[in-house]
């Protein structure tokens, strides 16, 4: 099959890339708004946010890159990236890259991949079987030398195009990930065979470790000698490598440790990953007018993930990010260099927690020592006498940006923690579970080994065609696209790669913000596999958002919604207020500003209208729990905000909080108040308030189907949009999938959680359907914060080698298996391959939470905690491109405020 077939293009048709141009900041400033603000007792004077700057679009066309540098952080999930960012105290280099995407990482036959299969996807554009190295799925050992069974790698494509190539890793160079770029073997563990393939691969520069596989082999061959005869400089030390660098060696193999490199923390690496990367770039760049492809692996992030060692994960992630920084510095000097940073899979289900949460669970477990024992017992009967991983690891928050912060280059994030409030806090990293520990690992090493997970991994891209690279949603598609880019220059029918701005640059008339409360990349991944498709993932612009508050790294829904609604960071529990000059003051919200500017406004939620998230858009109170006081802010909006009649459409639960008296007052004022859903179109002549339950609405399952008396979130969203758009004056609508968070707090591991996410995604679909027709509507989908859930699969858990604490293996935890919607998945080449799946097909997911939470819950019923992992963002429509890449949550709010301020 030709690569282009996968994109629905006829073979041989000109490649068409839709590329976002980089938006440059210009100096234009929108004048501040000056509406009068009558202060009432209930509402302290609202502080106005300074409008942001306007970005001027620059359209451009480009050719495909002539240098591609691909970084693979082995096992580097969003938890690792988040932890490393807070440990550094400022956004990582990779977070400054303008384009972000998310990729599924499943292999040919199973959902959770190993590094060989996922590296094969990246290296060849094809899925393969568990532990296979760039051979077709199902290839047997006896068939692996037949080139008909080989998958062509990007390195081979690059050589055919006259490009030079390089591989850099901190593991042995013949380890799974680099191996997939230069060998064809049915199993990753055949290290000597792989080294043999690599010695013949004609790769120009190989730097890392693993010399013994080349010169102390069981077959007695000396591959280094043979490579030397073929023109390679062979280096065994950093000095050798430096010399080769000075001599501008055309071909260099520099393996500076016998087996693998020591860890980054040990300080014993012959060369750092950054030094090796710089060296490889310099040698490949030298006298090279054609092009080069370089793969750099941060190999050991995964190893510390297996060990549940968060400190090690952070150290290795920071180490790789230094190398990313070096590559970006090189790329800045040219206009033909594409840098891509991604991971092969997530390892360990790592979540970022904080001491407050952890201490609660450790207390229940009887302190650190008792917790360790509890973990051992929970994991496996054999584990009693084995060393346990630390139940909680602390990482000191980076001190660089405590207090004031500076904007890093073009980076869209400021890490302005509160006034010294975070100074003494320590970040706690924790792993999603340790209920999965591999049995052989216990037996051989007497240690735990956490599992890989299926959680989607981020992709960061910068340079020519970066947007097209970040737009794919599967790692094999990413590999295929990189191969297309290498081939581009050699194609007779090539066309300039269009650079356009997705959705236009004119100010959108309408904005719909959809917030999935508690929806992180993990739960989103689970819903994707169970459902087969998520509308939000098809949105063209993607981003990651940091969600910390002024007082805590792990934040709550009030502070995070306030950041989105006002552009201000605040303390947890606070609604629509922020610390300003040492005092908690009310700050104007995007909904209030939109209303004051004559736009129509709406709120839709599955929780109560006075719950933290919707409340943050119209109320100003230091305590989110004071829902009756918050209701007063809804009541007095017409008095508080001149020229605004209050929220035009609100559909939610919470009639009990409002109470008979308030509802009667509203009716007197002419507000259409309804406590039941009639299904009729909403009135547009006066504000509408639908409170469809005393408290929160029923769960998603009860809001679907013809019998349902309370509508789905999609129907509520649709009704609100129909009403708000009836008059052509522009509108702001916030829609919350509020009960995703509730299912996660309840540690739900089954369909209930998936149902809430799907219900939310249907609302996203309704918003997008309107936006596509309307053409003048910006749709933003994001989350307020994450939880500690992670996604496993039945193969990894139940296979002989990896069974752990699941009931099915004699352990403690009931783990339901959710079926995967294989036939609906965008990339389903082998997930229904029952032959290769053997006892483990068809594929199923298992959802699991942080082990400490689960162990504590066996003694006392406790709600599952939030986590600080960066959350995804999706955007569609005019201005969408401005929301792409990495953002600090208040910056997202500032952009929304800027939109409301610029209403005509
Ligand atoms: Zn691994
Ligand atoms: Zn919550």
């Amino acid at each position: 099959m030709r690569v282009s077939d996968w994109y629905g293009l006829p073979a041989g048709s000109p490649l068409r890339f839709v590329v976002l141009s980089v938006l440059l900041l210009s100096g234009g400033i929108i004048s501040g708004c000056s509406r009068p603000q009558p202060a009432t007792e209930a509402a302290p004077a609202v502080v106005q946010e300074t409008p942001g700057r306007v970005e001027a679009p620059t359209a451009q066309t480009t050719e495909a890159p002539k240098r591609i540098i691909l970084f693979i952080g082995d096992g580097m999930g969003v938890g690792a990236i988040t932890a490393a960012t807070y440990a550094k105290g400022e956004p990582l280099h990779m977070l400054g890259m303008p384009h972000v995407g998310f990729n599924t990482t499943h292999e040919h036959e199973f959902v959770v991949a190993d590094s060989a299969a996922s590296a094969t996807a990246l290296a060849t554009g094809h899925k393969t079987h568990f532990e296979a190295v760039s051979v077709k799925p199902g290839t047997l050992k006896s068939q692996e030398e037949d080139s008909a069974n080989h998958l062509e790698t990007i390195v081979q494509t690059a050589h055919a195009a006259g490009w030079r190539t390089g591989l850099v890793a901190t593991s042995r160079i013949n380890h799974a990930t680099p191996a997939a770029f230069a060998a064809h073997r049915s199993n990753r563990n055949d290290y000597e065979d792989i080294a043999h393939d690599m010695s013949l691969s004609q790769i120009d520069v190989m730097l890392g470790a693993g010399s013994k596989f080349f010169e102390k082999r069981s077959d007695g061959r000396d591959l280094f000698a043979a490579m030397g005869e073929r023109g390679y400089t062979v280096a065994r030390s950093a000095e050798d490598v430096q010399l080769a660098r000075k001599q501008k060696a055309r071909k260099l193999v520099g393996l500076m440790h016998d087996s693998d490199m020591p860890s980054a923390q040990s300080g014993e690496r012959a060369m750092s990953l950054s030094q090796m990367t710089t060296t490889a770039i310099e040698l490949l760049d030298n006298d090279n007018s054609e092009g080069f492809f370089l793969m750099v692996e941060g190999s050991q992030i995964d190893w510390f993930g297996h060990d549940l060692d968060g400190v090690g994960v952070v150290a290795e992630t920071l180490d790789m990010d230094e190398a990313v920084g070096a590559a970006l510095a090189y790329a800045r000097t040219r206009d033909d260099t594409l840098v891509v940073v991604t991971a092969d899979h997530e390892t360990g289900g790592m979540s970022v927690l904080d001491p407050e949460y952890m201490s609660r669970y450790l207390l229940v477990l009887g302190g650190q020592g008792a917790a360790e024992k509890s973990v051992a017992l929970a994991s496996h009967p054999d584990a009693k006498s084995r060393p346990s991983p630390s139940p909680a690891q602390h990482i000191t928050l980076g001190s660089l940006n405590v207090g004031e912060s500076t904007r890093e280059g073009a980076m869209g994030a400021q890490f302005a923690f509160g006034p010294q409030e975070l100074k003494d806090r320590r970040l706690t990293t924790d792993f999603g579970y340790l209920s999965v520990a591999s049995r052989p690992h216990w037996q051989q090493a007497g240690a735990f080994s956490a599992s890989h997970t299926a959680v989607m991994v981020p992709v960061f891209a910068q340079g020519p065609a970066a947007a097209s690279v970040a737009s794919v949603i599967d790692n094999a598609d990413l590999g295929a696209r990189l191969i297309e880019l290498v081939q581009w220059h050699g194609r007779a029918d090539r066309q300039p790669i269009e650079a356009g701005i997705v959705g236009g640059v004119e100010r959108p008339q309408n904005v719909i913000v959809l917030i999935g409360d508690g929806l992180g990349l993990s739960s989103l991944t689970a819903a994707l596999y169970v459902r087969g498709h998520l509308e939000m993932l098809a949105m063209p612009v993607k981003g990651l958002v940091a969600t910390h508050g002024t007082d805590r790294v792990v934040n709550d829904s009030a502070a995070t919604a306030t950041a989105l609604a006002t552009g201000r960071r605040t303390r947890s529990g606070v609604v629509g207020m922020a610390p300003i000059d040492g005092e908690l003051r009310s700050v104007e919200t995007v909904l209030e500003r939109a209303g004051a500017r004559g736009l129509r406004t709406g709120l839709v939620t599955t929780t109560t209208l006075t719950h933290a998230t919707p409340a943050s858009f119209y109320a100003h109170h230091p305590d989110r729990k004071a829902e009756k006081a918050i209701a007063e802010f809804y009541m007095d909006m017409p008095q508080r905000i001149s020229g605004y009649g209050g929220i035009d459409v609100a559909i939610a639960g919470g009639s009990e909080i409002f109470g008979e008296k308030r509802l009667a007052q509203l009716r007197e004022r002419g507000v259409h108040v309804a406590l039941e859903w009639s299904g009729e179109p909403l009135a547009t002549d006066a504000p509408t308030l639908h409170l469809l339950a005393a408290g929160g609405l029923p769960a998603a399952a009860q809001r679907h189907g013809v019998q349902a008396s309370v509508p789905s979130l999609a129907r509520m969203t649709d009704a609100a949009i129909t009403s708000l758009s009836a008059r052509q004056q522009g509108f702001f609508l916030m829609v919350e999938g509020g009960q995703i968070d509730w299912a996660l707090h309840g540690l739900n591991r089954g369909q209930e959680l998936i149902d809430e996410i799907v219900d939310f995604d249907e609302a996203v679909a309704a918003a997008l359907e309107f936006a596509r027709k309307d053409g003048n509507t910006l749709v933003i989908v994001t989350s307020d914060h994450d939880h500690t859930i992670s996604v496993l699969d039945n193969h990894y858990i139940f296979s002989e080698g990896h069974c752990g604490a699941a009931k099915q293996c004699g352990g403690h935890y009931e783990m339901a298996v959710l079926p995967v919607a294989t036939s609906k998945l965008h990339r389903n080449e082998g997930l229904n391959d029952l032959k290769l799946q053997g006892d483990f097909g068809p594929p199923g997911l298992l959802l699991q939470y942080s082990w400490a939470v689960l162990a504590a819950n066996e003694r006392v019923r406790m709600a599952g905690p939030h986590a600080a992992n960066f959350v995804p963002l999706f955007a569609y429509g005019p201005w969408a491109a401005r929301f792409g890449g990495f953002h600090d949550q208040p910056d997202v709010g500032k952009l929304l405020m800027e939109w409301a301020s610029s209403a005509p």
Side-chain angles (χ1 to χ4, degrees):
M1 182 190 275
R2 289 179 65 97
V3 165
S4 56
D5 292 342
W6 300 338
Y7 309 131
L9 299 173
S13 77
L15 300 175
R16 282 173 286 125
F17 294 107
V18 178
V19 175
L20 289 171
S21 73
V22 178
L23 292 170
L24 302 173
L25 289 173
S26 80
I29 298 206
I30 288 172
S31 63
C33 103
S34 59
R35 67 175 177 78
Q37 296 162 45
T40 67
E41 269 190 36
V46 166
V47 174
Q48 295 232 331
E49 187 56 54
T50 318
R53 286 183 292 180
V54 182
E55 291 168 0
T58 50
Q60 53 190 9
T61 57
T62 179
E63 299 207 316
K66 283 200 156 190
R67 276 108 171 88
I68 297 177
I69 306 173
L70 171 64
F71 284 89
I72 302 175
D74 198 312
M76 182 184 71
V78 79
I81 293 167
T82 305
T85 301
Y86 286 119
K88 190 181 177 194
E90 63 184 73
L92 303 181
H93 293 295
M94 65 183 85
L95 293 174
M97 298 167 70
H99 298 283
V100 169
F102 305 106
N103 278 359
T104 48
T105 62
H106 57 272
E107 53 194 40
H108 172 80
E109 78 281 44
F110 299 124
V111 178
V112 175
D114 89 298
S115 292
S118 55
T120 296
L122 291 166
T124 72
H126 294 274
K127 302 281 188 188
T128 190
H129 66 254
F130 183 62
E131 299 195 325
V133 177
S134 291
V135 291
K136 289 177 182 166
T139 300
L140 302 172
K141 180 81 189 152
S142 60
Q143 303 166 327
E144 68 184 11
E145 304 214 351
D146 179 353
S147 63
N149 295 319
H150 294 179
L151 296 169
E152 185 175 320
T153 70
I154 189 169
V155 162
Q156 292 171 294
T157 312
H159 289 162
W163 286 25
R164 308 185 69 218
T165 56
L167 298 178
V168 174
T170 53
S171 63
R172 60 193 68 174
I173 199 72
N174 50 341
H175 206 255
T177 306
F181 289 82
H184 304 277
R185 295 287 165 179
S186 62
N187 191 291
R188 56 182 284 177
N189 296 310
D190 297 330
Y191 287 116
E192 292 196 351
D193 288 342
I194 290 169
H196 180 255
D197 283 0
M198 294 180 95
S199 75
L200 297 171
S201 66
Q202 296 177 353
I203 288 177
D204 299 282
V205 179
M206 283 188 267
L207 292 174
S211 56
K212 71 176 183 187
F213 301 99
F214 289 74
E215 59 182 354
K216 294 174 197 157
R217 296 165 57 89
S218 58
D219 62 8
R221 283 152 85 175
D222 185 345
L223 302 182
F224 280 155
M227 290 174 85
E229 279 164 28
R230 286 195 298 275
Y232 278 91
T233 300
V234 178
R236 286 184 190 75
S237 68
E239 293 72 36
D240 289 354
V241 171
Q242 291 304 348
L243 187 66
R245 183 181 184 170
K246 271 195 208 105
Q247 293 170 342
K248 299 189 171 151
R250 293 301 282 177
K251 286 206 175 282
L252 171 66
V253 54
L255 306 184
M256 294 165 273
H257 297 270
D258 215 30
S259 183
D260 300 303
M261 285 197 146
S263 71
Q265 287 164 289
S266 72
E268 289 166 8
R269 278 186 190 161
M271 285 179 89
S272 72
L273 189 59
S274 178
Q275 286 168 335
M276 291 194 288
T277 303
T278 310
T279 304
I281 289 173
E282 196 179 302
L283 290 175
L284 293 172
D285 181 71
N286 179 40
D287 190 21
N288 181 347
S289 58
E290 293 302 317
F292 73 73
F293 169 80
L294 171 64
M295 192 288 296
V296 180
E297 187 197 24
S299 317
Q300 301 193 18
I301 300 167
D302 175 67
W303 302 355
F304 287 98
H306 282 297
D307 289 350
L308 301 164
D309 182 341
V311 175
V313 167
V314 166
E316 296 294 337
T317 303
L318 288 173
D319 182 61
M320 190 182 86
D321 192 57
E322 279 305 303
V324 171
L328 291 174
Y330 166 78
R332 272 196 292 276
T333 66
R334 331 177 42 95
D335 60 3
D336 63 353
T337 305
L338 173 68
V339 182
V340 180
V341 181
T342 189
D344 49 355
H345 54 72
E346 200 273 348
T347 303
M350 185 182 187
S351 275
V352 179
L353 294 172
D354 75 4
E356 222 166 275
Y357 272 125
M358 279 313 292
S359 60
R360 265 186 254 168
Y361 298 108
L362 293 182
L363 203 67
V364 169
L365 291 168
Q368 183 92 3
E372 275 171 29
K373 234 179 247 166
S374 171
V375 169
L377 282 169
S379 297
H380 195 278
D382 294 349
K384 272 179 250 176
S385 56
R386 307 292 189 190
S388 294
S390 166
Q393 277 190 309
H394 296 280
I395 294 168
T396 307
L397 280 168
S399 57
L400 285 171
N401 285 339
V402 174
E404 265 311 300
S405 74
T406 52
R407 190 168 272 263
E408 267 270 304
M411 202 170 293
Q414 296 179 58
F415 275 46
F417 290 120
Q420 302 298 307
E421 284 174 293
L422 279 179
K423 203 173 179 185
D424 305 323
R425 293 274 168 173
R426 291 198 299 166
L427 171 72
T428 302
T429 59
D430 183 39
F431 290 82
Y433 53 86
L434 66 60
S435 49
V436 187
S438 79
R439 192 172 287 157
H441 207 80
W442 271 321
Q443 285 161 356
Q444 290 157 24
F448 287 88
S449 179
S451 152
H452 295 178
T453 76
V455 178
M456 292 180 93
V457 294
V459 180
F460 305 96
Q462 176 170 321
S468 89
V469 163
S471 72
V472 302
I473 61 166
D474 179 84
N475 62 356
D477 286 350
L478 175 56
R481 187 144 297 183
L482 293 178
I483 287 172
E484 279 190 326
L485 291 173
V486 173
Q487 292 168 330
W488 187 89
H489 286 280
R491 291 185 67 137
D493 58 354
R494 69 172 184 264
Q495 295 191 339
I497 296 170
E498 288 173 34
I501 291 153
V502 171
V505 294
E506 295 295 315
R507 176 189 177 280
Q509 188 185 25
N510 316 307
V511 171
I512 305 173
V513 176
L514 299 107
I515 301 175
D517 198 316
L519 178 68
L521 204 52
S522 304
S523 42
L524 191 150
T525 303
L528 173 68
Y529 278 111
V530 174
R531 183 74 168 178
H533 170 81
L534 285 180
E535 199 65 34
M536 61 185 102
L537 276 169
M539 293 169 73
V541 176
K542 300 178 180 74
L544 270 179
V545 180
T547 64
H548 60 277
T550 57
D551 58 336
R552 296 178 56 176
V553 176
V554 177
N555 212 347
D556 90 312
S557 295
T560 52
T562 296
L564 292 168
T566 72
R568 291 274 186 178
R569 194 189 305 291
T570 191
R571 289 204 274 274
S572 52
V574 172
V575 167
M577 302 179 86
I580 294 165
D581 302 330
E583 233 179 282
L584 207 54
R585 296 170 70 182
S586 296
V587 284
E588 191 188 16
T589 74
V590 57
L591 181 140
E592 290 172 335
R593 190 175 290 184
R597 293 302 181 96
L599 305 183
R600 286 167 65 77
T601 54
L603 289 178
V604 172
T605 177
T606 54
T607 65
T608 61
L609 185 58
T610 45
H611 206 259
T613 306
S616 298
F617 284 82
Y618 65 86
H620 309 275
H621 201 283
D623 181 12
R624 60 179 282 178
K625 290 194 235 50
E627 289 198 53
K628 287 205 164 102
I630 286 168
E632 286 302 324
F633 285 89
Y634 174 86
M635 301 296 292
D636 71 7
M637 287 185 92
Q639 291 90 57
R640 269 196 297 133
I641 303 166
S642 75
Y644 180 38
I647 297 171
D648 296 282
V649 178
I651 311 173
S655 57
E656 206 170 86
I657 294 151
F658 271 78
E660 281 306 317
K661 212 176 120 203
R662 283 196 195 87
L663 295 180
Q665 281 170 11
L666 288 169
R667 284 192 182 101
E668 265 166 47
R669 250 164 54 189
V671 176
H672 296 278
V673 178
L675 303 182
E676 264 165 31
W677 186 253
S678 68
E680 299 290 312
L682 307 182
T684 56
D685 56 332
T688 301
L689 173 64
H690 273 67
L691 296 177
L692 303 175
L697 300 186
Q702 290 150 49
R703 285 183 282 107
H704 283 73
V706 277
Q707 296 294 317
S709 60
V710 177
S712 68
L713 193 60
R715 284 174 68 197
M716 294 191 275
T717 302
D718 202 44
I721 291 173
T722 304
S723 169
L724 292 171
S725 63
R727 294 195 229 150
Q728 292 288 314
Q729 60 194 87
F731 67 83
F732 173 82
L733 172 63
M734 193 287 290
V735 177
E736 185 201 20
Q739 299 192 21
I740 299 167
D741 184 61
W742 297 3
L744 289 160
H745 280 304
L747 301 176
N748 186 278
R749 291 194 282 262
Q751 195 61 40
E752 213 172 289
L753 170 65
I754 305 297
D755 286 346
E756 293 296 342
I757 299 169
V758 169
D759 180 56
F760 176 66
D761 193 59
E762 286 171 1
V764 172
L768 287 173
E769 194 188 321
F770 170 79
R772 278 187 208 108
K773 274 190 241 147
D774 176 67
N776 203 4
T777 301
L778 169 69
V779 180
I780 301 288
V781 181
T782 188
S783 160
D784 47 357
H785 56 74
D786 199 359
H787 278 257
T788 67
I789 195 166
S790 200
V791 186
L792 311 169
D793 80 350
N794 54 344
H795 166 251
Y796 227 104
I797 304 312
F798 301 142
S799 64
E800 186 58 34
H802 294 88
C803 201
K807 271 235 169 78
Q808 290 92 325
C809 310
H812 275 49
Y813 296 121
E814 194 73 62
M815 293 171 77
V817 180
L818 296 170
V820 174
T822 52
S823 61
K824 292 187 201 153
L825 275 174
H826 157 69
R827 263 282 184 167
N828 171 34
E829 282 166 27
L831 286 174
N832 45 19
D833 188 336
L834 289 166
K835 194 169 149 244
L836 275 182
Q837 282 156 354
D839 293 344
F840 304 105
L845 295 186
L846 295 95
L847 308 186
Q848 191 64 308
Y849 293 83
S850 163
W851 68 267
V853 176
L854 292 172
N857 258 275
E858 288 190 350
R859 302 179 190 193
V860 183
R861 187 95 185 102
M862 298 168 86
H866 294 176
N869 313 324
F870 297 151
V871 294
L873 179 145
F874 307 95
Y876 173 90
W879 277 26
R882 300 182 66 184
F883 289 82
F886 176 67
H887 280 279
D888 195 9
Q889 209 162 37
D891 287 345
V892 176
K894 282 194 180 87
L895 283 170
L896 295 174
M897 291 301 278
E898 183 188 325
W899 167 78
S901 305
S902 57

